[in-house]
Amino acid sequence: MPTLSMFYGIVIMMFKEAGQRHNVPHFHARYAEYEAEFDFDGCLLAGDFPSRQTKLVVAWASLHRDELEADWHLLSCGERPYRIEPLR
């Protein structure tokens, strides 16, 4: 799963499952033992994530929505996504 960004101990990843289509464009976030899926608006779709780190992910996603959409499109075409600036 390609890593798009890393900040404050949070790792943001996105991937396309071979032979399957995702219904909702989303990305995956990991922090310590937590893993979750978020849509591009920062809404938690699945998993569990600490409140403070969720707020950081939501802020990051709102700043980089266009880049997330572009990376989603690249992956759906079989291409590698670009790295996205971390939250500072």
Side-chain angles (χ1 to χ4, degrees):
M1 180 174 340
T3 298
L4 301 181
S5 192
M6 292 185 285
F7 51 91
Y8 302 111
I10 301 167
V11 179
I12 305 293
M13 300 157 290
M14 186 185 290
F15 72 100
K16 182 176 184 326
E17 295 174 355
Q20 296 185 15
R21 293 186 57 173
H22 286 98
N23 292 326
V24 177
H26 66 278
F27 59 90
H28 299 252
R30 287 189 187 155
Y31 175 77
E33 70 273 9
Y34 299 96
E35 292 187 32
E37 295 176 18
F38 293 87
D39 69 12
F40 294 168
D41 293 322
C43 295
L44 181 67
L45 300 175
D48 189 29
F49 225 62
S51 177
R52 182 176 187 275
Q53 283 70 26
T54 296
K55 290 175 186 174
L56 294 171
V57 169
V58 170
W60 177 84
S62 71
L63 292 170
H64 298 288
R65 182 180 174 92
D66 290 343
E67 293 157 285
L68 286 165
E69 289 175 356
D71 277 350
W72 183 264
H73 179 72
L74 287 170
L75 280 167
S76 68
C77 294
E79 298 180 35
R80 292 190 56 82
Y82 289 103
R83 297 279 298 201
I84 300 175
E85 283 291 315
L87 192 62
R88 298 189 196 276

